Amino acid sequence: MKQFIVFVKKEFFHALRDRKTLLILFGLPVVQIMIFGFALTNEIKNSKIIIADQAKDIASQQLTTKIEASKYFEIEKSVRNRREIEDAFKKGTIRAAIIFPENFNHDLLHESKATLQFITDASDPNTATTLANYLNAIVSDYQTELNENRTRPYTITTETRMLYNPQLKGVHNFVPGVMALVLMLVCVMMTAISIVKEKETGTMEILLVSPFKPLLVILSKAVPYLILSLVNVATILLLSVFVLQLPINGSVLLLFAESTLFIITCLSLGLLISVRTESQQVAMLISLMGMLLPTLLFSGFMFPIENMPYPLQVISNAIPAKWFYIIVKSIMIKGLGIAGIWKETLILAGITLFLIAVSLKNFKTRLA
């Protein structure tokens, strides 16, 4: 254990005395969290919604049919009360909900006006706004059909409610995404480069034939970056709360625990890359290109996953950043506890164990 602590201290000294390393470790998160303040707005398709039809009349059924026929929405189910709607939003199974009040058709025919409520998940403000616009357009089209050849037009008033983010601030979307992106890039790249550097200089062979166990050599390389990455997480959260005014609605302890799990996942990826590469340039290229693009494309941070073809949606399930992004949004924005994210946590833990097993297997094969 004493030797292990000495090796960990050595790695800390190596990391902290290199200005380029410090710039990547601490400069990258600060710069990205400060300037990555926008998100792309794309067409949203096949968004899952639920309908609470308290009227159950001809007008509500006709409007439900038009919504269901739209390419933008996919009706998950019909519910009876608001509690079921809230539960569905907390689980993240839907993007929007529609509530038809009682006597919807009666009010429309006799008073020439009726009210309809839309509820959207505004933890992703761009998607929430787009879905509200799509629903308003469908209602407007239905209203136009009703008003043909009428001297007194019918009026359907839509009431839109943005859940979790009523002000539609973009920071609610990009902070969880930047956390996933920064941790993936920093942990994978720094771990891979650190180990490959030892291989290039020939010191790795010396370490491996020393009395010190080979596995502890690798762990001593990873521990400093685990601690420094947790410092990165704290930096991002402090900037989010005090600079970007984004409150943390859930447990900070749970958020750090989930971040630790994701960091271990990234360190395992870095170890795998380091075992399979022989130069720092190749390790850096694979870490940047191989981790950056999948994180941006398949995490749901930049582009809605449900827009993608089904095979790509299946591939996205193997991307750790996707599950971490969902977990961070659920804790920070929705204020959920472990009961609301246990499925995502188990999936992320499974991916982590798989990567650790593959990395150690490759490492032992190289030693043999």
Side-chain angles (χ1 to χ4, degrees):
M1 180 57 69
K2 185 177 180 180
Q3 288 178 320
F4 178 70
I5 295 174
V6 170
F7 270 93
V8 171
K9 287 182 178 179
K10 179 183 75 71
E11 288 302 317
F12 264 116
F13 291 147
H14 275 300
L16 296 178
R17 74 182 182 183
D18 187 350
R19 292 183 179 179
K20 293 180 181 179
T21 301
L22 288 176
L23 182 63
I24 294 174
L25 283 172
F26 300 110
L28 182 64
V30 173
V31 170
Q32 286 199 345
I33 201 71
M34 295 303 292
I35 68 174
F36 215 101
F38 66 93
L40 297 177
T41 301
N42 298 287
E43 185 182 26
I44 313 296
K45 297 179 182 179
N46 303 319
S47 294
K48 293 185 178 181
I49 64 172
I50 58 177
I51 293 179
D53 189 353
Q54 299 172 355
K56 297 188 182 301
D57 51 37
I58 186 170
S60 66
Q61 291 174 4
Q62 288 176 344
L63 197 47
T64 298
T65 301
K66 288 186 70 69
I67 293 170
E68 190 172 15
S70 168
K71 65 179 181 179
Y72 302 116
F73 300 104
E74 180 181 320
I75 297 179
E76 179 77 3
K77 62 179 180 178
S78 296
V79 297
R80 296 182 178 181
N81 53 58
R82 291 180 179 268
R83 175 174 288 277
E84 293 182 71
I85 294 176
E86 292 176 1
D87 290 341
F89 273 117
K90 287 180 179 180
K91 292 177 181 177
T93 56
I94 60 169
R95 291 294 188 103
I98 304 172
I99 301 177
F100 289 96
E102 294 180 359
N103 302 318
F104 180 75
N105 188 58
H106 178 272
D107 293 342
L108 194 61
L109 293 177
H110 295 85
E111 301 179 16
S112 296
K113 62 179 181 180
T115 302
L116 186 64
Q117 185 178 35
F118 300 152
I119 303 177
T120 58
D121 182 353
S123 60
D124 185 344
N126 296 310
T127 300
T129 303
T130 303
L131 293 180
N133 290 337
Y134 288 163
L135 288 169
N136 278 310
I138 293 172
V139 172
S140 178
D141 183 56
Y142 176 69
Q143 190 172 295
T144 301
E145 291 179 4
L146 290 178
N147 289 332
E148 290 181 358
N149 303 320
R150 279 188 56 86
T151 56
R152 185 183 178 188
Y154 293 124
T155 302
I156 300 177
T157 304
T158 57
E159 177 189 336
T160 304
R161 179 187 170 196
M162 300 296 181
L163 205 61
Y164 304 120
N165 183 17
Q167 296 177 326
L168 296 177
K169 292 182 178 180
V171 66
H172 288 67
N173 182 50
F174 82 79
V175 166
V178 168
M179 282 184 66
L181 182 62
V182 167
L183 292 177
M184 176 64 74
L185 291 179
V186 169
C187 296
V188 173
M189 184 170 59
M190 297 310 301
T191 306
I193 292 175
S194 172
I195 296 175
V196 173
K197 183 179 179 181
E198 299 280 7
K199 292 166 67 175
E200 281 187 334
T201 57
T203 54
M204 179 58 76
E205 286 76 10
I206 298 174
L207 291 173
L208 293 178
V209 298
S210 67
F212 198 51
K213 292 183 179 179
L215 181 59
L216 294 181
V217 172
I218 299 301
L219 288 177
S220 68
K221 292 283 183 183
V223 168
Y225 295 107
L226 170 63
I227 297 172
L228 292 173
S229 296
L230 288 174
V231 174
N232 269 335
V233 172
T235 302
I236 292 173
L237 294 179
L238 288 173
L239 287 172
S240 302
V241 173
F242 295 106
V243 178
L244 301 175
Q245 306 299 316
L246 174 63
I248 301 174
N249 295 319
S251 169
V252 176
L253 184 62
L254 178 60
L255 186 56
F256 269 93
E258 297 288 352
S259 299
T260 302
L261 176 61
F262 182 65
I263 291 169
I264 294 173
T265 307
C266 299
L267 294 176
S268 303
L269 270 172
L271 173 60
L272 181 60
I273 292 171
S274 70
V275 171
R276 306 300 298 182
T277 55
E278 299 297 333
S279 68
Q280 294 183 65
Q281 289 80 5
V282 175
M284 182 176 292
L285 181 64
I286 295 175
S287 300
L288 285 176
M289 299 305 295
M291 299 298 109
L292 177 63
L293 291 178
T295 301
L296 288 177
L297 294 176
F298 295 117
S299 66
F301 166 40
M302 297 288 285
F303 307 102
I305 293 175
E306 52 265 35
N307 280 12
M308 301 176 185
Y310 183 73
L312 292 182
Q313 294 184 35
V314 174
I315 292 173
S316 72
N317 293 326
I319 306 300
K322 170 189 174 180
W323 305 108
F324 182 66
Y325 176 64
I326 294 172
I327 288 170
V328 174
K329 281 213 311 182
S330 298
I331 296 174
M332 289 188 67
I333 313 301
K334 298 182 180 181
L336 300 184
I338 189 64
I341 57 171
W342 67 270
K343 291 182 181 179
E344 291 81 4
T345 302
L346 284 180
I347 294 173
L348 185 58
I351 295 173
T352 304
L353 292 174
F354 173 77
L355 289 173
I356 291 174
V358 172
S359 301
L360 292 179
K361 182 179 179 181
N362 278 267
F363 180 64
K364 291 179 180 178
T365 303
R366 285 301 177 98
L367 286 179

